[in-house]
Amino acid sequence: MRIAGRGFNRCAPLVTFTFDGQSYTGRAGDTLAAALLANDVRHVARSFKYHRPRGMLTAGSEEPNALVTVGYGAAQDPNIRATTLEIYDGLTARSQNAWPSLKHDAMAVNDLLSPFLSAGFYYKTFMWPKSFWEKLYEPIIRHAAGLGALSGETNQDTYEKAFAHCDVLIIGAGPAGIMAALTVARAGADVILADEGMAGGGRLLSETYDVNGRPCEKWAADQLTTLSNMENVRIMTRTTVTGAYDQGTFAALENIVLGNPEAPKECFWRIASQRSILCAGALERPIAFPNNDRPGIMLASAVRAYLNRWGVAPGQTVTIFANNDDAHRTALDLIDAGVTVAGVIDSRAGALALGDYPMFAGGQVIATKGRLGLSTITVLDCNGTHDIQTDCLAMSGGWNPTVHLTCHMNARPTWSEDILSFVPIDGAIPKMLVAGAARGVFSTLGCLAEGIAVANNTLRELGLIESQIDIPTAENSTYHIEPLWQVDGKGRKWLDFQNDVHVKDIVLAVQENFRTVEHMKRYTTQGMATDQGKNSNVVALAVLADATGCGIPETGTTTFRPPYVPVAIAAMGAGSQGHGFAPERHTTSHKATLDRGAPMMEARLWYRPSYFPKPGETTWLETCNREVAMVRNHVGICDVSTLGKIDIQGPDAGAFLDFIYCNTFSTLRENRVRYGLMLREDGHVMDDGTTARLGLNNYIMTTTTVAAGQVMTHLEWVSQALRPDLLVRFASVTEQWAQFAVAGPKSRDLLNSVLDTTIDDENWPFMSCGSIDVAGVQGRLFRISFSGEHAYEIAVPSRFGASLFRLLTAQAEAMDGGLYGMEALNVLRIEKGFITHGEIHGRVTANDIGFGRMVNQKKDCIGNAMSQRLGLLDINREQLVGLKPVEKTGRLTAGAHLFIEGEAAVSENDQGYVTSVCYSPTFGHDLALAFLKDGLKRHGNRVLLVDHLRDVQTWCEVCHPVFLDQKGELSRG
Amino acid sequence: MRLPCPLCGDRDRREFYYQGHALMLERPLRDAGDAAWDNYLHNRDNPAGETRDLWHHEAGCGAWIVVTRNTVTHEVLDAILVEKARV
Amino acid sequence: MVKLIANSPFSKLLPKTIGTVTLTDIDSGKMTLVAPFKGQQKLVSDALKSTLGVEFPAPNRTLGKMPRSVWFGRGLALIIGADCPDLDGAACFDHSDAWAIVRLDGTDTSAILARLTPIDLRESTFKCGHTARTLIGHMTGCITRLGVQSFEVMVMRSMAATLVHELTQVAKNIAARPVISA
C-alpha cells in the first residue's frame, strides 16, 4: 500500500510491468519488491526445499526469498533479486519454483513430509542402489528443489567487461563513504566511489533524521552532487564490489539499467587501486522464532526502507519484534506515516517505549499464523500469551557489519561483545582501511566522523596532505542490544530462508558429529546459494555454538569467498563469445581464398584453406587428390605466410643460432638455407624449420606456424637470461612478409613469368636464397621445398601480398596448376616423410626422428647435455618409420597403435603408434608415419595396426619414412 | 594480481607469462653431470614464504624479469630484469 | 608489365563512426624497428637525433610527430614516417607492413579502450605522447595517446579485422548505454 506524500520517488513517472502475468503499475525508481508491496503483493516466492510461501525479507542485495525470473526464451534470467531489480516499462517477471502456480504449488506437499526431509536426508536416503542415483534420484531431487531455471537457449544478451584505475577506491556511498570520498577528493587524489544502489546514500535513503540540518537523503544527494562535479571523482552507482584480490585489485559488477535490448546488461569491472576504504555498512539479521518465515515477516530496517524511501507500507497493522533500540525507529516512522503499530515486542526486560505504541518489554514472539501471509502472532511476556492481529511483523536481531571483502584474502573477523557480531580485523586486506558500520560503528555521526578520519589516514599513507573537513551534525544514539538468537516454541525456527535450514537441522548436524562450522555448513547447506547466508550465518553460528557448548568466537565463521553477490559468467567472459573468443589472424590471401569457396581450418590463431573445391568435386578427398597431382605434375600455389619468421641480426647472430639449434649455422654460407632442429633444454625436440643466411650478420629463421610464439619467447629467454654476452638482436617479421610456396615441376617457369629478372638452376640452386624483384616490388626468394618437388617460396611486403597471390594464381592456372590447401600440403609432406608437430609432439628426441647425428657434440647448445641421457638413447625407444598397408586397400588411421603378429592388442604389448596418415594419390594407397620400437632396424617387417576406437585392423609393412624420392632428386632438379 | 615491470611499471598479471623458479638462470655447464642437470631442470623447493620466480612480460615489453614475492601473503617485494639478476 | 598493388590491412573496414567515436585507418609509411646492441643505445640515439631529429625514446614514451620515435619494448624503438638511416650499433627491421594501425577520436575513446586494455589510461598517468605495449582484447599491441580524446592503437597486421570487430563491439555497447561509467 502506497502512503500518500511519502517516498523519495513520490513524483516519479509511472511504470507498467507484469508479475506472474498480471499487470501492475509502479514508480520509476521502485525496485520490483517495492512496487509489488505497493500493490499489496506480499507472497512472491516458494522456498527451495519445502515450497513454503515466502515474501520479501529485506530491501537489499542480501535478499534470500524474493527471487524472480525475468524475461523469456533466450533472454530468460533466473534468480534475480526483486529487492534490487529496478522496474522499467515492459518488465516481465515471474515467480520461481512453483507449479502450477505460486498460490497452489503441488510441491508444497514437501512441507508436510518435512519430518522425513531433514538435513542430510538425501545422503542417507538415496544410498542404494548406486545406479539409481544418476537416473532416478538426482532428477527427482532437482525437479522438486531448486531456484530458477535457465532456458537452455544460447544467451543473446550482451555484457561488458572493463578496467578502471584510481588512487583510492571507496566501497559504499553511505555516510562513511561519502565523507571519506569528500576528504580524499579534496586532497586531490583520484577517487572511485562505488555503490551497489541505484543512487548513493546507503541507509541515508531509508531514514528520516537530519544530517547538518537537512533531511538525510537530501544531504546525501547534495554531497554526491558536489563529488560528481569534481574532476578527480568517479561515482559508480549500481556497482557492487564483489571481490578483493592481490595488489589492490578489486572486482565489481555494474548493473546497467535494463529495458534497452541494445545495451549491455552488466559490466564486470576490474578496479586497480593504490588504497581502498571499505564503507560497506551493515546488514540486519532475523530472529529464529517459530514460523518466522511467513510473507509479511521482514526485517525492521526493510520495513523502514519501503516506508521512507518508496512510500510503501508493507502492512496495515504492523508489529515489531527486536532485541535492540534501533528497531524502535521503525515504529516511530510508521506512526508518523499514519500506519497502525499494534505493538513492539522487545526481548529486553528493561526496554522502554520511545513513542506512543503498545510495548511488550521482555516479550517474545512464540508463534505465527497465516498460510499465504501473516495474520496473527502470539506473544509471550511476563503477563502470559497474547494473540495480536498483524499482517506485517518487523523483526530485528541486531546488525552484522558487512565484513565480507575483508575476508577475501584469508583473514577472519573477530567477535565483538559490544555489538554481538563479527568485526573486521586490521590489515585484513593490504592497503585497505574500514570505516563506519562495516567496523561496527552504528551511529550516523560515528560513521560520518570515521569516514573523515580513515580517509585522512589513507591520505597520510599516500603521502598527501590531510583534508580539514568539519564533521556534519547527526544523530549519535548508542546501540543497545541483548543476545536473542532463538525463541523457544513449537514449530520450525528458520535460519537460512533460501536453503530452508532451521534450528533443528543445526542441532541434528551436531548430533551426527558435524560440529565444526564448515562441516555444519556442508551438512545442512546453511549459507549456500545466491545469498551466501548474508542474513542468516551469524544466527546459525550462534545456534551451533549453543548446541556444541562452545562460544561463538570459538565457533568462528565459515570462509567468505568472492563474489559478494552473484556474477553472471557471461559478464566475466564478456566479449569473448563468437568472433571475440580469440583473435583471428588472416593472411593477405584470406579474402581471395574465401572467394574461391575454400573451407578454412584453424592453425593456432591463423585461418588457412583446407582445400579449393572445383565445380563438380563432391568430396574433400576428390579435391585433395587433384591438388596433389597438380603439384606433382604441374605447379601449385600455397600461402605459407603463417610460418613464423624471425629476423636475427648482429655480429654474434651465428653464435646465437649455434646455441639455439642443435646443428650449426655459423658455417652456413650467405644466400644459403639450412634445415635446423631446435631442442628443449630437457633434450626433446621443440621445433624445426629452415634458416636462411641473408648476409654476414643477418639470418632469417622460419618456425612452424603453431610454435612461432613459443620459439620467440624461447629466443627472448636465451638472449636475455642465458646469453646476454652475445651481440645479437632479433624481431618477428612474420607480419611484415606475405610468403607463398610455388611448388611443382613448372615452378621455375611460373616464377620466370612474374620475376623482373629470370632465374636459373645455376644461380638459384636448391637451398639458396636472396633478393628478387617481382612485378616491380622488391622481395625475397627461397629455394626450399616441403613437398619434395622443385619448389620455391617467394615473399613480398604484406601490403603487396593480396596482389601477388592473385598474380601467382592466374599464372599457375594458365599452366594447368593452381591453388592447393592444407589437406594436399599434408599429403605432399607425408609422401616425402617430412615431419610436423604431429611427429615432434613434445616427447620425441632428435634420435627418435632419425636426426640424432644433427646434435653437434662439438658445441654446447640448448638441450645438448640432456639429449645424451641414457634413457633418451635407449634403443627400445620408438623411432620414426613409414607404414604401408600390405593390401593396397588397407586402411591406416592416425592414433592407432602397432602390435606384433600373434600378440594381443593390449597396452602391455604396444609396439608404437601412428602419428600421420593420408591417402596418397601418387601411390594409390594409404601412407602413414609412425613411431615404432627400434623402428630403424625393422624396415621390411610386418606389424599389425589396431585402432580400437574406429575398429580398424590393418597389416602394414614397416618402411623408410620417406616414401617418395629418397635421394631428393626432384627438389634439386 | 599486478606485477611491477621494471620497464613498464605496474601492470596487470594477464600481461605476463609465468615460467618457474629463478633457479633457471643458473644453467649448469654442459659437462656438469646428470645430477646437476636433473636439479636444474626438475627439482624445486615449494616454499611457504619468499620465493623468486621468472615472468615474461609477454604481452608487454618482452622483458624477462625475476619477481621476488611471498607465497603466503602474495606480497610482491621486488622485480628486476633477468640480465641484472645474473650479475 | 604487371605491377603489384598495395592494400591496406583493413581493406574496406575503415573508416567508420560509432556513437561519438571515429575509427580511422592510418598508413604511416615507412616503419623501422631499431634494436641497439648491448651498450650501444646512446650511440644509436645520437645518430637518430642527428639524422631524423628524434632520439631513442625512454620507456613508455614517444618523441616527435613525423618522424616519430616510439618506445616499442625492451631496448626497442619504432621509427615511424621516415627512412631509417644505417645504424652501426643497432639491428634494424623493416616493419612498414607489419602493423595494423587505427586512430580513435571522440568523447568515448577512453571508455572504449578501458573495455579492451588493462593499462591505466587516466590522463594524469597516461599523458599525451605516452605509449604502452599491452593487450588490446586478446591481442598484443601498442597504445599511444595523441590527445585528450585521441589514441592510436597498433596490432599485428593479420589481426586487423579482429581489431575492428573488437572496437566496433565495445563502441556499440557504449553507444547503447544510458550512462557511461569510464
Side-chain angles (χ1 to χ4, degrees):
Chain A
M1 175 180 63
R2 201 78 78 160
I3 310 271
R6 265 190 113 88
F8 305 143
N9 66 338
R10 57 183 171 266
C11 303
L14 296 181
V15 170
T16 306
F17 66 96
T18 69
F19 178 68
D20 276 346
Q22 173 98 34
S23 184
Y24 297 99
T25 312
R27 291 173 184 163
D30 279 351
T31 60
L32 177 62
L36 286 172
L37 285 172
N39 285 284
D40 295 324
V41 179
R42 294 193 294 167
H43 170 209
V44 295
R46 287 277 175 171
S47 70
F48 184 76
K49 188 163 146 190
Y50 299 118
H51 292 251
R52 287 174 64 87
R54 291 281 167 80
M56 299 78 172
L57 180 69
T58 76
S61 65
E62 70 274 28
E63 176 63 28
N65 287 339
L67 306 183
V68 298
T69 296
V70 174
Y72 287 90
Q76 176 170 322
D77 215 348
N79 305 333
I80 303 297
R81 288 151 291 167
T83 50
T84 58
L85 174 66
E86 290 171 53
I87 57 166
Y88 51 86
D89 271 317
L91 166 70
T92 60
R94 287 172 283 156
S95 57
Q96 304 180 156
N97 204 29
W99 183 86
S101 74
L102 190 59
K103 203 169 168 191
H104 304 285
D105 178 8
M107 283 296 175
V109 67
N110 278 7
D111 201 29
L112 301 174
L113 299 172
S114 63
F116 309 103
L117 300 178
S118 61
F121 80 96
Y122 45 75
Y123 303 138
K124 297 171 191 164
T125 313
F126 300 115
M127 295 282 286
W128 187 89
K130 204 178 161 195
S131 60
F132 274 34
W133 176 254
E134 202 176 312
K135 292 214 167 69
L136 185 66
Y137 298 147
E138 190 184 324
I140 290 175
I141 293 167
R142 284 196 187 281
H143 178 69
L147 301 168
L150 294 167
S151 67
E153 295 175 42
T154 303
N155 188 349
Q156 303 292 340
D157 296 320
T158 51
Y159 292 81
E160 278 186 334
K161 58 174 183 250
F163 297 89
H165 302 261
C166 62
D167 298 330
V168 183
L169 170 66
I170 297 166
I171 301 157
I178 285 175
M179 289 319 293
L182 285 166
T183 308
V184 174
R186 293 229 175 118
D190 274 352
V191 175
I192 289 179
L193 177 59
D195 192 279
E196 64 174 0
M198 59 185 98
R203 273 311 292 177
L204 299 178
L205 299 181
S206 300
E207 304 291 357
T208 50
Y209 47 71
D210 288 353
V211 173
N212 246 15
R214 290 268 283 161
C216 59
E217 101 281 359
K218 291 209 166 61
W219 178 87
D222 294 346
Q223 309 313 309
L224 290 162
T225 305
T226 305
L227 285 164
S228 64
N229 288 331
M230 297 175 80
E231 286 217 331
N232 55 333
V233 177
R234 179 163 162 188
I235 300 175
M236 296 173 74
T237 52
R238 301 183 176 89
T239 304
T240 310
V241 177
T242 58
Y245 301 91
D246 294 328
Q247 282 83 43
T249 305
F250 292 84
L253 186 72
E254 179 190 9
N255 267 304
I256 297 163
V257 187
L258 298 179
N260 174 7
E262 299 297 310
K265 279 177 98 160
E266 293 174 350
C267 183
F268 186 68
W269 288 91
R270 276 100 163 170
I271 302 172
S273 65
Q274 299 296 317
R275 291 287 185 289
S276 57
I277 304 175
L278 181 68
C279 307
L283 296 173
E284 200 169 23
R285 65 194 180 215
I287 301 167
F289 59 89
N291 292 315
N292 57 345
D293 67 331
R294 300 189 193 279
I297 302 177
M298 57 177 76
L299 292 169
S301 58
V303 171
R304 230 151 56 227
Y306 289 119
L307 179 71
N308 296 328
R309 185 170 182 183
W310 291 289
V312 173
Q316 295 188 332
T317 307
V318 182
T319 43
I320 289 143
F321 178 29
N323 64 346
N324 63 79
D325 289 340
D326 188 65
H328 290 249
R329 270 188 227 266
T330 308
L332 298 176
D333 287 354
L334 286 164
I335 290 165
D336 185 54
V339 180
T340 306
V341 174
V344 173
I345 302 102
D346 193 322
S347 64
R348 297 170 301 167
L352 299 171
L354 302 180
D356 185 15
Y357 46 78
M359 182 75 190
F360 298 84
Q364 294 184 344
V365 177
I366 57 163
T368 69
K369 280 187 193 149
R371 197 174 71 83
L372 297 177
L374 181 67
S375 59
T376 310
I377 61 170
T378 304
V379 174
L380 172 70
D381 69 359
C382 55
N383 299 320
T385 61
H386 322 265
D387 281 357
I388 303 174
Q389 303 293 313
T390 179
D391 57 351
C392 173
L393 173 64
M395 63 178 159
S396 175
W399 289 81
N400 297 327
T402 306
V403 301
H404 301 63
L405 286 175
T406 68
C407 303
H408 283 180
M409 289 173 74
N410 264 343
R412 300 271 172 172
T414 58
W415 180 252
S416 161
E417 272 302 324
D418 293 342
I419 62 165
L420 297 178
S421 192
F422 287 96
V423 293
I425 58 165
D426 289 338
I429 302 285
K431 300 181 180 178
M432 176 194 270
L433 298 174
V434 186
R439 263 190 75 230
V441 174
F442 290 152
S443 83
T444 310
L445 185 71
C447 289
L448 295 165
E450 273 224 332
I452 300 171
V454 166
N456 273 327
N457 287 342
T458 301
L459 288 170
R460 264 199 307 280
E461 288 178 15
L462 285 170
L464 296 170
I465 297 164
E466 294 175 34
S467 302
Q468 298 301 320
I469 290 190
D470 293 336
I471 304 169
T473 56
E475 66 84 26
N476 191 26
S477 45
T478 28
Y479 175 71
H480 293 295
I481 181 169
E482 286 179 13
L484 175 66
W485 306 107
Q486 55 170 309
V487 172
D488 289 337
K490 203 165 165 281
R492 282 165 292 173
K493 296 164 258 182
W494 299 96
L495 295 166
D496 185 331
F497 290 66
Q498 184 158 96
N499 294 299
D500 275 348
V501 178
H502 54 94
V503 168
K504 259 187 168 168
D505 290 326
I506 310 270
V507 175
L508 181 66
V510 172
Q511 277 169 13
E512 308 220 333
N513 214 20
F514 292 88
R515 300 167 68 91
T516 71
V517 62
E518 299 282 11
H519 283 145
M520 176 278 284
K521 172 175 175 171
R522 271 81 194 166
Y523 191 78
T524 61
T525 70
Q526 163 66 42
M528 294 186 181
T530 69
D531 73 334
Q532 290 286 295
K534 290 191 184 70
N535 300 107
S536 58
N537 274 348
V538 174
V539 187
L541 296 175
V543 171
L544 177 66
D546 186 48
T548 58
C550 297
I552 297 174
E554 292 75 38
T555 299
T557 63
T558 52
T559 309
F560 296 86
R561 292 191 182 87
Y564 176 70
V565 293
V567 178
I569 300 288
M572 287 192 252
S576 296
Q577 293 163 296
H579 286 296
F581 179 70
E584 294 176 6
R585 298 182 78 175
H586 294 170
T587 63
T588 56
S589 64
H590 189 75
K591 188 174 175 302
T593 302
L594 291 179
D595 288 348
R596 283 171 172 269
M600 287 290 189
M601 55 171 282
E602 292 171 47
R604 280 284 158 94
L605 301 176
W606 287 101
Y607 282 70
R608 305 188 75 182
S610 296
Y611 54 96
F612 291 87
K614 287 237 157 136
E617 290 173 348
T618 54
T619 66
W620 70 269
L621 185 61
E622 198 180 347
T623 306
C624 175
N625 288 342
R626 173 183 53 77
E627 289 174 5
V628 170
M630 177 184 80
V631 173
R632 295 267 178 249
N633 298 320
H634 305 286
V635 62
I637 307 294
C638 178
D639 193 327
V640 293
S641 310
T642 61
L643 277 79
K645 293 179 281 288
I646 301 171
D647 191 335
I648 299 164
Q649 300 181 18
D652 293 329
F656 180 65
L657 285 168
D658 287 349
F659 192 67
I660 290 287
Y661 279 121
C662 71
N663 51 328
T664 307
F665 279 84
S666 52
T667 54
L668 182 66
R669 281 190 293 144
E670 285 180 48
N671 298 319
R672 285 293 181 275
V673 185
R674 183 171 285 170
Y675 175 78
L677 198 64
M678 201 179 283
L679 305 182
R680 297 192 310 238
E681 198 71 278
D682 65 6
H684 293 87
V685 177
M686 177 189 281
D687 197 36
D688 70 345
T690 58
T691 288
R693 189 168 197 170
L694 299 179
L696 178 64
N697 295 329
N698 186 9
Y699 294 79
I700 185 132
M701 172 193 284
T702 308
T703 74
T704 57
T705 300
V706 294
Q710 182 196 357
V711 169
M712 192 65 192
T713 299
H714 177 63
L715 297 194
E716 290 285 7
W717 161 251
V718 173
S719 157
Q720 293 178 37
L722 302 181
R723 297 303 304 270
D725 55 308
L726 298 176
L727 291 179
V728 63
R729 295 301 304 267
F730 48 87
S732 168
V733 291
T734 309
E735 298 278 339
Q736 170 66 20
W737 297 94
Q739 193 154 318
F740 305 98
V742 181
K746 298 179 185 168
S747 55
R748 184 162 49 213
D749 295 344
L750 189 155
L751 284 173
N752 279 335
S753 73
V754 299
L755 292 177
D756 296 356
T757 312
T758 57
I759 56 170
D760 56 31
D761 204 44
E762 195 180 330
N763 294 319
W764 287 88
F766 184 54
M767 297 303 260
S768 63
C769 67
S771 281
I772 41 86
D773 288 303
V774 50
V777 171
Q778 194 183 46
R780 291 169 177 172
L781 189 67
F782 305 86
R783 185 164 168 193
I784 52 179
S785 174
F786 196 54
S787 57
E789 293 299 325
H790 179 178
Y792 301 82
E793 289 187 11
I794 183 167
V796 289
S798 292
R799 71 184 64 204
F800 299 110
S803 184
L804 178 60
F805 183 75
R806 276 196 303 273
L807 178 62
L808 293 173
T809 307
Q811 295 301 110
E813 285 174 345
M815 303 166 82
D816 299 323
L819 297 167
Y820 66 101
M822 292 303 104
E823 296 293 352
L825 179 138
N826 196 43
V827 174
L828 292 163
R829 68 98 190 169
I830 292 173
E831 288 178 343
K832 184 65 186 157
F834 286 137
I835 55 173
T836 65
H837 280 281
E839 284 69 44
I840 45 173
H841 50 54
R843 291 182 292 115
V844 303
T845 65
N847 259 334
D848 299 341
I849 52 172
F851 292 167
R853 273 181 299 175
M854 276 178 76
V855 186
N856 185 338
Q857 292 306 319
K858 292 188 188 133
K859 61 165 181 125
D860 189 14
C861 71
I862 298 290
N864 185 310
M866 291 306 258
S867 73
Q868 301 308 307
R869 272 185 288 178
L870 278 180
L872 295 192
L873 301 173
D874 186 350
I875 55 153
N876 275 321
R877 283 182 67 85
E878 291 144 346
Q879 291 159 342
L880 183 68
V881 295
L883 294 179
K884 292 190 277 202
V886 171
E887 302 284 336
K888 237 186 163 184
T889 54
R891 189 175 161 215
L892 309 185
T893 55
H897 281 250
L898 305 174
F899 299 92
I900 298 173
E901 186 162 15
E903 288 194 346
V906 294
S907 57
E908 290 79 2
N909 298 329
D910 190 22
Q911 292 289 305
Y913 55 95
V914 178
T915 52
S916 297
V917 297
C918 69
Y919 170 76
S920 164
T922 314
F923 291 92
H925 56 73
D926 283 3
L927 300 176
L929 296 176
F931 284 92
L932 180 66
K933 278 183 183 168
D934 200 19
L936 276 179
K937 296 210 186 90
R938 292 168 74 174
H939 292 182
N941 288 10
R942 273 164 61 130
V943 291
L944 183 65
L945 175 151
V946 179
D947 188 332
H948 288 299
L949 285 177
R950 302 182 187 90
D951 202 18
V952 172
Q953 292 208 4
T954 308
W955 282 107
C956 302
E957 184 195 323
V958 180
C959 61
H960 195 280
V962 180
F963 299 95
L964 181 82
D965 183 27
Q966 279 186 23
K967 290 182 183 156
E969 284 162 351
L970 290 172
S971 50
R972 287 186 176 79
Chain B
M1 180 179 182
R2 297 174 71 75
L3 290 173
C5 172
L7 297 174
C8 302
D10 276 357
R11 289 296 183 90
D12 193 279
R13 179 255 173 274
R14 74 197 59 223
E15 292 185 2
F16 297 87
Y17 168 85
Y18 175 74
Q19 175 63 48
H21 197 270
L23 199 75
M24 282 298 283
L25 287 169
E26 292 148 39
R27 186 173 185 268
L29 293 173
R30 183 182 166 213
D31 304 320
D34 287 350
W37 277 97
D38 190 30
N39 276 331
Y40 176 65
L41 280 176
H42 304 127
N43 297 331
R44 296 291 181 271
D45 288 335
N46 184 17
E50 264 186 49
T51 187
R52 292 166 73 236
D53 39 39
L54 293 162
W55 296 78
H56 184 214
H57 197 187
E58 194 176 31
C61 67
W64 276 92
I65 60 177
V66 178
V67 175
T68 308
R69 65 186 179 96
N70 188 309
T71 58
V72 177
T73 64
H74 297 191
E75 190 180 2
V76 173
L77 302 154
D78 187 36
I80 53 172
L81 297 173
V82 286
E83 53 253 56
K84 298 210 167 123
R86 276 171 54 94
V87 179
Chain C
M1 184 70 203
V2 187
K3 289 271 178 218
L4 295 185
I5 303 159
N7 286 95
S8 150
F10 295 102
S11 186
K12 287 169 189 141
L13 295 172
L14 295 179
K16 72 199 271 183
T17 300
I18 309 125
T20 69
V21 172
T22 303
L23 312 177
T24 323
D25 167 5
I26 301 292
D27 184 352
S28 292
K30 196 80 186 162
M31 293 197 284
T32 309
L33 190 60
V34 174
F37 297 115
K38 199 178 177 183
Q40 304 288 303
Q41 191 166 310
K42 176 78 176 68
L43 197 83
V44 169
S45 184
D46 292 346
L48 287 171
K49 176 79 182 166
S50 65
T51 49
L52 300 177
V54 287
E55 295 166 324
F56 196 94
N60 307 303
R61 297 290 181 271
T62 63
L63 293 168
K65 286 231 159 99
M66 202 55 84
R68 190 179 352 151
S69 98
V70 179
W71 187 77
F72 219 63
R74 176 189 160 275
L76 293 170
L78 191 68
I79 304 298
I80 299 178
D83 284 334
C84 185
D86 283 338
L87 296 165
D88 282 342
C92 294
F93 308 95
D94 186 0
H95 263 206
S96 307
D97 293 35
W99 299 95
I101 311 174
V102 176
R103 185 184 161 117
L104 285 77
D105 296 281
T107 319
D108 293 333
T109 47
S110 294
I112 286 177
L113 290 178
R115 278 150 182 78
L116 290 173
T117 179
I119 62 165
D120 186 352
L121 293 165
R122 281 179 292 165
E123 251 185 280
S124 52
T125 45
F126 195 71
K127 297 174 182 157
C128 197
H130 286 202
T131 190
R133 293 299 310 262
T134 182
L135 285 167
I136 296 105
H138 297 122
M139 298 171 283
T140 57
C142 169
I143 298 175
T144 303
R145 182 174 221 128
L146 303 176
V148 177
Q149 299 178 347
S150 298
F151 294 88
E152 210 168 81
V153 175
M154 299 172 72
V155 299
M156 289 183 225
R157 182 189 183 98
S158 64
M159 299 185 186
T162 298
L163 177 62
V164 172
H165 173 263
E166 299 271 292
L167 289 170
T168 305
Q169 279 306 116
V170 283
K172 272 188 187 165
N173 285 346
I174 285 171
R177 258 171 172 265
V179 185
I180 297 158
S181 58

